[in-house]
Amino acid sequence: MHIVLDETGMAAAGQGNILASRLIHRAHAEPGWYIYAPTCALVEADRARPGTAEHMAALPGITVLDLDLPAALAVAQQQTWAAAHCQYAAQPTPDRPDGAIVATIAPKRWDGEAVRVLDLNA
């Protein structure tokens, strides 16, 4: 299971969101579970809730995704860096042939985008 936390999901995790916390725990404790924090979304989460970036980076079950050249090119084509980096990170890759699911507390922002969404409000 591959999950990408968008900036709202990261901020929610920092505020004790139970579903986000369970996902992070699973990524740490269970094989085959992976949580990703795209750098651009991490910056936005920290702007919204200072301290979020350090908190996320310190958790053993979270992989922080760098803004490499392919991601930067994808980001350049979108309105917000955070959403673009999350969408790019959720796309299929050889390691993740089915892509990843974007975990968010703002699922409507992903309407019409080519990503699967997990609503952390449920």
Side-chain angles (χ1 to χ4, degrees):
M1 179 66 64
H2 297 274
I3 308 286
V4 173
L5 288 172
D6 74 358
E7 72 275 16
T8 68
M10 290 183 217
Q15 294 172 329
N17 179 285
I18 291 178
L19 289 176
S21 296
R22 286 180 182 165
L23 289 173
I24 293 166
H25 173 74
R26 281 194 151 177
H28 175 67
E30 293 184 33
W33 281 78
Y34 304 94
I35 303 285
Y36 304 100
T39 303
C40 293
L42 193 60
V43 169
E44 288 302 315
D46 201 67
R47 286 180 179 169
R49 188 172 187 280
T52 300
E54 288 179 358
H55 177 72
M56 290 286 125
L59 294 172
I62 295 188
T63 301
V64 176
L65 299 177
D66 294 333
L67 183 65
D68 59 9
L69 180 59
L73 295 174
V75 165
Q77 298 174 14
Q78 300 291 329
Q79 284 188 328
T80 69
W81 288 36
H85 200 185
C86 289
Q87 184 175 6
Y88 174 79
Q91 298 308 306
T93 66
D95 293 341
R96 299 183 306 270
D98 294 328
I101 299 167
V102 176
T104 182
I105 61 166
K108 293 215 181 283
R109 79 183 279 195
W110 296 102
D111 286 351
E113 299 296 335
V115 295
R116 295 175 292 157
V117 175
L118 173 63
D119 185 352
L120 294 174
N121 294 308

